[in-house]
Amino acid sequence: SGILRDLNEPLVDHTEGQLFLNDAFKIIMEEVLCKGTDVNQKVCEWKEPEELALLLDLELRETGEPSHRLLQRVKDVAKYSIKTSHPRFLNQLFTGVDYHSLAGRFLTEALNTNLYTYEVAPVFVLMETEVLRGLREMIGWTEGDGLFCPGGSISNMYAMNLARYQRFPEVKSKGLCGLPRLNIFTSSESHYSVKKAAAFLGIGTDNVIIVQVDERGRMIPDDLDEKIKLAQSQGAVPFFVSCTSGTTVRGAFDPLDRIADVCEKHKLWMHIDAAWGGSVLFSKQHSHLMKGVHRANSVAWNPHKMLTAGLQCSALLLQDTTNLLKKCHSANATYLFQQDKFYDVNLDVGDKSVQCSRKVDCLKLWLMWKAVGSIGFTERVDKAFSHARYLVEQMKKREGFHLLHEPEFVNVCFWFVPPSMRGKEGDADYQDRLAKVAPVIKERMIKQGTMMVGYQPLGNKVNFFRMVVFSPQLSQKDMDFFIDEIERLGIDL
Amino acid sequence: SGILRDLNEPLVDHTEGQLFLNDAFKIIMEEVLCKGTDVNQKVCEWKEPEELALLLDLELRETGEPSHRLLQRVKDVAKYSIKTSHPRFLNQLFTGVDYHSLAGRFLTEALNTNLYTYEVAPVFVLMETEVLRGLREMIGWTEGDGLFCPGGSISNMYAMNLARYQRFPEVKSKGLCGLPRLNIFTSSESHYSVKKAAAFLGIGTDNVIIVQVDERGRMIPDDLDEKIKLAQSQGAVPFFVSCTSGTTVRGAFDPLDRIADVCEKHKLWMHIDAAWGGSVLFSKQHSHLMKGVHRANSVAWNPHKMLTAGLQCSALLLQDTTNLLKKCHSANATYLFQQDKFYDVNLDVGDKSVQCSRKVDCLKLWLMWKAVGSIGFTERVDKAFSHARYLVEQMKKREGFHLLHEPEFVNVCFWFVPPSMRGKEGDADYQDRLAKVAPVIKERMIKQGTMMVGYQPLGNKVNFFRMVVFSPQLSQKDMDFFIDEIERLGIDL
Ligand SMILES: Cc1ncc(COP(=O)(O)O)c(C=O)c1O
Ligand SMILES: Cc1ncc(COP(=O)(O)O)c(C=O)c1O
């Protein structure tokens, strides 16, 4: 049929391939990194899905395409993708670009290996250990364990599974069948991954007991204590408390020391979801927000958020020194983790994971850390706080901007009240009308491509904006722009 | 303190950063892609961990380092890392490089977005849908659902969780507490991720019932039927059968049609772990190995293995059209999946996942597929089979190479028997001595850097080699080299 070429002719032509990669790299540089970070260019190029599908010609076919066509595709993908490194992208808890990290990510992709054995990942087994050690040191732990996981949600799941295993080691072989009902405690403003984890691990979302928060969104330790006692009195077995350092929406920090007291009293595993807020540990000025962090059993921390390490980069950190991680997750597969290897098989870290293939997520963080030093991270965190402060001060001076409250962190949450609604707070339909403002402004900004910022409701608070200002690219004039732009987009509503 | 620069000066210098990235790219090109694929260069540069740690100077410090120092680090990381794209790397079920895929991966990293909402990933929401559709089409499904997951182990977990949810929808909220004991069925040669999943999901490894295999490692459907009945008679509730298309070690394909009959009879969810073998579906000549695949409820398929898409690329494919994936995993977080958006919120696929951040794993596969067409994948798969066949024929002609049996797939499993042991099969210590041969040969090849191939024991079979020959780079002379090299390394044992 002519399909099968000679067996002596490889199917890959390296020279041709490398030429293509070179050309693609140039396009990436130009479209994503130059234009994509240029404040004079759009942050997004909105298309309706039907139109975009046509433009991209996504269909997969029998025959391949020539290089020039493929390079055009690279360009198109770049063109219609969101420029998350653009200074006006503040839609999520990641933004901006760090070129050292990006170099580390390209290197990771080119090396294409798995972090499971020393045999296939000698550099990264040692490097991951060192990066985890560095992160643990910020917590104040001189010993411990850990692992990079594919995202904070999975890091939280790991913590929950470890806590369960520590309490009931037989759960690994016997499952939950026959065990009493287990209860998890977390605040009403914690990340939804706690519930997802409870469902996935077979514990059930009803067994996630919601603890009340104060007016700024911080867990109330007394309520935690009461809820634990209540659960016990109802026959459930509390085993896990997930507190949050830097809640997703309001950026609240749960009072760790007081929660640790409650956990100690009831002998519960204390987990801190510091996916978002963990990076304050680099700041002498702000690390007090996590006072008591060293008393936790586990901490989840995402350098892909505030530290701009690039997706994905999430560390699960453990105080444990008893090899719990391995005991809990190992399957001892003899085809991968042979015990008769010629080197120390403790270097084969893969069996600590519930994954088999595991991406190398440490190199990008390591290279960036080497580049800027801890001091560089301190600077980034402190600067983010300063920007948030500046933004808040400006909003206070401007009519129509209503802060939810003074921010504890860099999440600046506010309503924009258009002129037509000002002074009408008493109207019966005020909240309904206010709820509709943010979605319209959002639609306009996306369609015009001028900025991207998130909004959401929270409890009985109707839709408000959350600006997260931490990209190392930002300067004060960007803050001024954000405020002006929201006003421009919403003035007529 | 001088640490905080002026608020009007961003912390990132794009020109400087882009220069660095350019230089790093050149090093990657030279060290990883040119030297790293050159058959005259070593596949690995063995160092003892203590020595390697010193060479790499991994420690993370207060202050940053200048560019030239960082570029040297990029070089060092490349130098001491395993060259998994080297033609002599056949240690795992991934190997080789595809430059189109790699360009897609660089683009993915540069665009740095998350696959959860159309808002931040318009191109990739549509692209993932199309790639999943393309993969489902190979199975013979015109409808269905799916998701890219961080690896095949997690794809298998998803399938297990979906099956459980379909059978007992209340498990999501109530957990397993109060439910009967659930049983899972899989063969003795299935991947260890099935057990890891059972432990993680709270089902327990004891509830993974092991089904016997035939002499080639394929699940025996009659034994499955009996084990199901036995489980039922003991009060357990069977709900999930995980069969394998392409087992990890021997490359066996479970007889899907006959297993589907058993699953239908007992009304069990049929999952196919085709992480390794799924790609045979691209081959008219070999797809018969998966005859009956369309009868499954779910299929896990890793293009990062045989199709050389690069880590990680694993698809979970579902026949379901009832939105089970979303129902099972959704948490309806209002901060991310607002329902009052201006576009069709069904495009926000993120709530189908148990992750929040989710890497874009579809672009690399899409670009590669566009580049070579389905026909290109057919060619790769067929060629891999031809190489395996050639390797087997050569081994048969060569003294000292003992095949476990004729391979069904591209896993060529064999013992190398050194001259000193030939004809001594009857000796009492023969098996013990044979078990020690592969580890020594392995140590020598790694220390000399000439090739990397895996070995393992299996049941009562002592350590044997598994050669997986599917890299698109390979040619017959590489096969000849592999045999000569094993002989050279083991001749004196
Ligand atoms: C507080 C918190 N925890 C956990 C997560 C989940 O992290 P990931 O998106 O990496 O899964 C997030 C994500 O925004 C978060 O804000
Ligand atoms: C048959 C089989 N299933 C599942 C897996 C796990 O896939 P992953 O390594 O992507 O988790 C493997 C890995 O080798 C495998 O061989």
Short mmCIF file of all heavy atoms in Angstrom, two decimals, chain B residues 365-383:
data_model
loop_
_atom_site.label_atom_id
_atom_site.label_comp_id
_atom_site.label_asym_id
_atom_site.label_seq_id
_atom_site.Cartn_x
_atom_site.Cartn_y
_atom_site.Cartn_z
N LEU B 365 -1.10 16.61 21.01
CA LEU B 365 -1.63 15.48 20.23
C LEU B 365 -2.32 15.99 18.97
O LEU B 365 -2.17 15.42 17.88
CB LEU B 365 -2.60 14.65 21.09
CG LEU B 365 -3.28 13.47 20.41
CD1 LEU B 365 -2.27 12.50 19.80
CD2 LEU B 365 -4.18 12.73 21.40
N TRP B 366 -3.05 17.06 19.12
CA TRP B 366 -3.76 17.65 17.97
C TRP B 366 -2.78 18.08 16.89
O TRP B 366 -2.96 17.76 15.72
CB TRP B 366 -4.61 18.83 18.46
CG TRP B 366 -5.39 19.52 17.39
CD1 TRP B 366 -6.59 19.13 16.86
CD2 TRP B 366 -5.04 20.74 16.72
NE1 TRP B 366 -7.00 20.03 15.90
CE2 TRP B 366 -6.07 21.03 15.79
CE3 TRP B 366 -3.95 21.62 16.81
CZ2 TRP B 366 -6.05 22.16 14.97
CZ3 TRP B 366 -3.94 22.74 16.00
CH2 TRP B 366 -4.97 23.00 15.09
N LEU B 367 -1.74 18.79 17.29
CA LEU B 367 -0.79 19.31 16.30
C LEU B 367 -0.05 18.15 15.60
O LEU B 367 0.15 18.17 14.38
CB LEU B 367 0.22 20.25 16.97
CG LEU B 367 1.00 21.16 16.03
CD1 LEU B 367 0.10 22.10 15.25
CD2 LEU B 367 2.05 21.96 16.80
N MET B 368 0.29 17.14 16.37
CA MET B 368 0.98 15.98 15.80
C MET B 368 0.05 15.24 14.84
O MET B 368 0.46 14.78 13.78
CB MET B 368 1.41 15.07 16.96
CG MET B 368 2.10 13.80 16.53
SD MET B 368 2.86 12.94 17.94
CE MET B 368 1.43 12.25 18.74
N TRP B 369 -1.20 15.12 15.22
CA TRP B 369 -2.20 14.44 14.39
C TRP B 369 -2.39 15.20 13.08
O TRP B 369 -2.44 14.64 11.99
CB TRP B 369 -3.52 14.31 15.18
CG TRP B 369 -4.48 13.25 14.71
CD1 TRP B 369 -4.66 12.78 13.45
CD2 TRP B 369 -5.42 12.53 15.54
NE1 TRP B 369 -5.65 11.82 13.43
CE2 TRP B 369 -6.13 11.66 14.71
CE3 TRP B 369 -5.74 12.57 16.90
CZ2 TRP B 369 -7.14 10.81 15.19
CZ3 TRP B 369 -6.74 11.73 17.38
CH2 TRP B 369 -7.42 10.86 16.54
N LYS B 370 -2.49 16.53 13.19
CA LYS B 370 -2.58 17.37 12.00
C LYS B 370 -1.35 17.15 11.11
O LYS B 370 -1.43 17.19 9.88
CB LYS B 370 -2.66 18.84 12.40
CG LYS B 370 -4.04 19.29 12.86
CD LYS B 370 -5.01 19.43 11.70
CE LYS B 370 -6.31 20.13 12.08
NZ LYS B 370 -7.32 20.04 11.00
N ALA B 371 -0.20 16.97 11.74
CA ALA B 371 1.06 16.88 10.98
C ALA B 371 1.19 15.56 10.22
O ALA B 371 1.62 15.54 9.07
CB ALA B 371 2.25 17.07 11.91
N VAL B 372 0.84 14.47 10.88
CA VAL B 372 1.07 13.17 10.21
C VAL B 372 -0.21 12.49 9.76
O VAL B 372 -0.16 11.54 8.98
CB VAL B 372 1.89 12.19 11.10
CG1 VAL B 372 3.25 12.79 11.45
CG2 VAL B 372 1.13 11.83 12.38
N GLY B 373 -1.35 12.98 10.23
CA GLY B 373 -2.62 12.36 9.85
C GLY B 373 -2.79 11.00 10.52
O GLY B 373 -1.83 10.43 11.04
N SER B 374 -4.00 10.49 10.48
CA SER B 374 -4.24 9.16 11.06
C SER B 374 -3.33 8.14 10.40
O SER B 374 -2.85 7.19 11.02
CB SER B 374 -5.69 8.71 10.83
OG SER B 374 -6.58 9.72 11.20
N ILE B 375 -3.08 8.38 9.13
CA ILE B 375 -2.23 7.49 8.35
C ILE B 375 -0.81 7.44 8.92
O ILE B 375 -0.15 6.39 8.89
CB ILE B 375 -2.27 7.99 6.88
CG1 ILE B 375 -2.56 6.85 5.94
CG2 ILE B 375 -1.03 8.74 6.52
CD1 ILE B 375 -2.76 7.36 4.51
N GLY B 376 -0.36 8.53 9.43
CA GLY B 376 0.96 8.56 10.05
C GLY B 376 1.00 7.72 11.31
O GLY B 376 1.99 7.03 11.60
N PHE B 377 -0.10 7.75 12.07
CA PHE B 377 -0.16 6.92 13.28
C PHE B 377 -0.21 5.44 12.90
O PHE B 377 0.42 4.60 13.54
CB PHE B 377 -1.38 7.30 14.13
CG PHE B 377 -1.28 8.67 14.78
CD1 PHE B 377 -2.42 9.34 15.22
CD2 PHE B 377 -0.04 9.27 14.98
CE1 PHE B 377 -2.33 10.59 15.82
CE2 PHE B 377 0.05 10.52 15.58
CZ PHE B 377 -1.10 11.18 16.00
N THR B 378 -0.99 5.14 11.86
CA THR B 378 -1.06 3.76 11.37
C THR B 378 0.34 3.24 11.05
O THR B 378 0.74 2.15 11.46
CB THR B 378 -1.89 3.72 10.05
OG1 THR B 378 -3.15 4.32 10.29
CG2 THR B 378 -2.05 2.30 9.55
N GLU B 379 1.06 4.06 10.36
CA GLU B 379 2.41 3.72 9.94
C GLU B 379 3.32 3.44 11.15
O GLU B 379 4.08 2.47 11.16
CB GLU B 379 2.95 4.91 9.14
CG GLU B 379 4.23 4.66 8.42
CD GLU B 379 4.60 5.85 7.50
OE1 GLU B 379 4.31 7.02 7.87
OE2 GLU B 379 5.16 5.62 6.44
N ARG B 380 3.19 4.29 12.16
CA ARG B 380 4.03 4.11 13.35
C ARG B 380 3.71 2.79 14.05
O ARG B 380 4.61 2.06 14.48
CB ARG B 380 3.80 5.23 14.36
CG ARG B 380 4.44 6.51 13.91
CD ARG B 380 4.35 7.55 15.00
NE ARG B 380 4.65 8.86 14.43
CZ ARG B 380 4.62 9.98 15.11
NH1 ARG B 380 4.31 9.97 16.38
NH2 ARG B 380 4.91 11.12 14.53
N VAL B 381 2.41 2.52 14.18
CA VAL B 381 2.01 1.30 14.88
C VAL B 381 2.45 0.07 14.08
O VAL B 381 3.06 -0.86 14.63
CB VAL B 381 0.48 1.29 15.10
CG1 VAL B 381 0.03 -0.02 15.71
CG2 VAL B 381 0.08 2.47 16.00
N ASP B 382 2.18 0.09 12.80
CA ASP B 382 2.56 -1.06 11.98
C ASP B 382 4.07 -1.28 11.98
O ASP B 382 4.55 -2.41 12.04
CB ASP B 382 2.07 -0.87 10.53
CG ASP B 382 0.55 -1.06 10.43
OD1 ASP B 382 -0.05 -1.58 11.41
OD2 ASP B 382 -0.04 -0.68 9.42
N LYS B 383 4.79 -0.20 11.92
CA LYS B 383 6.24 -0.31 11.92
C LYS B 383 6.75 -0.90 13.25
O LYS B 383 7.69 -1.70 13.26
CB LYS B 383 6.85 1.07 11.70
CG LYS B 383 8.33 1.00 11.40
CD LYS B 383 8.75 2.14 10.52
CE LYS B 383 10.20 1.98 10.11
NZ LYS B 383 10.56 2.93 9.06
#
